Amino acid sequence: MNARGLLVVGLLAVIGSGASIAWQHYCAPRIAAAEQDQKARAWLAVLPEASYDNQPLQRPVALPDPDLPHSRIQAGYLATLHGQPSAVLLLSRFPGYAGPVDLLIAIDRDGRVIASRVLQQQETPGLGARIAEPGNTWLQGFNGHGQGNTAQSAWALKRDNGQFDQLAGASITSRAVIHAIQDALRYFDQHAPQWLQEAPAHE
């Protein structure tokens, strides 16, 4: 290839590289927005639509001493309705059977579980991993429970003389979830006076 041919190839390579970089810069904001939208949908799925009118993920709460007996609180956010606190979202990470599990727990202002959802897990397919499967209702068994209406001794599997059913074939995962939810409820009760102070009417 002669010098002119090499120059043409070089120019084409530069143009192609520049176009690729420009396209990446053009797409980056859209990709970031799509990722944020996906995160918001996953997180807010645990809150009834009528229970909030703010943007909860824009209202982080302080998380002092997040290392708990069986878990660690990774993040927390405040939901409000008509300017008043209505719920807190807590992201709990705890050791499961095969690795860390990220469990999102929505707690109402009275300290009761609204709903919970697994965001990430490495449990055994067909066993512990079923906690994250669409349509699995096992986590719903904790809805409505709080420290105030459920005895301390009840926070265990029925086979351990507690109140809660076991996810079939996954006793270790089931116990870990129970411990993590109880950790989160205790943490909520401890910090609720700070979190549930009257929110501003306009955010």
Side-chain angles (χ1 to χ4, degrees):
M1 183 179 295
N2 57 30
R4 184 175 181 179
L6 289 173
L7 179 60
V8 171
V9 170
L11 286 173
L12 290 174
V14 170
I15 292 171
S17 177
S20 177
I21 293 171
W23 180 252
Q24 290 176 7
H25 280 289
Y26 174 77
C27 292
R30 295 188 177 188
I31 293 172
E35 290 175 346
Q36 283 298 109
D37 183 61
Q38 183 178 9
K39 176 185 175 181
R41 287 199 305 269
W43 280 65
L44 300 181
V46 295
L47 288 175
E49 290 186 8
S51 69
Y52 67 98
D53 56 13
N54 71 324
Q55 298 293 327
L57 300 187
Q58 296 178 15
R59 288 295 306 275
V61 296
L63 299 174
D65 302 319
D67 291 311
L68 307 178
H70 306 283
S71 59
R72 187 178 198 279
I73 302 300
Q74 301 289 101
Y77 298 94
L78 179 69
T80 63
L81 182 65
H82 306 311
Q84 300 298 318
S86 59
V88 170
L89 297 174
L90 294 178
L91 179 62
S92 170
R93 174 169 292 175
F94 59 91
Y97 177 75
V101 177
D102 285 352
L103 180 68
L104 181 63
I105 307 163
I107 303 172
D108 69 20
R109 61 176 297 120
D110 296 317
R112 297 170 301 198
V113 175
I114 299 172
S116 53
R117 179 179 185 177
V118 173
L119 297 183
Q120 182 174 309
Q121 53 83 28
Q122 303 174 39
E123 302 301 87
T124 305
L127 297 175
R130 290 191 296 114
I131 58 173
E133 292 179 355
N136 188 293
T137 60
W138 182 74
L139 284 172
Q140 295 178 15
F142 300 97
N143 296 357
H145 288 280
Q147 292 290 96
N149 65 5
T150 306
Q152 296 299 304
S153 60
W155 289 94
L157 296 176
K158 289 180 178 178
R159 63 186 293 181
D160 299 330
N161 300 314
Q163 180 172 333
F164 298 99
D165 292 322
Q166 174 183 314
L167 185 65
S171 59
I172 293 176
T173 303
S174 301
R175 290 188 182 100
V177 169
I178 291 172
H179 290 321
I181 291 177
Q182 190 178 28
D183 272 357
L185 290 171
R186 287 171 174 162
Y187 191 76
F188 174 90
D189 288 349
Q190 181 181 358
H191 299 289
Q194 174 186 353
W195 294 340
L196 301 182
Q197 290 176 357
E198 184 173 344
H202 302 285
E203 300 187 11

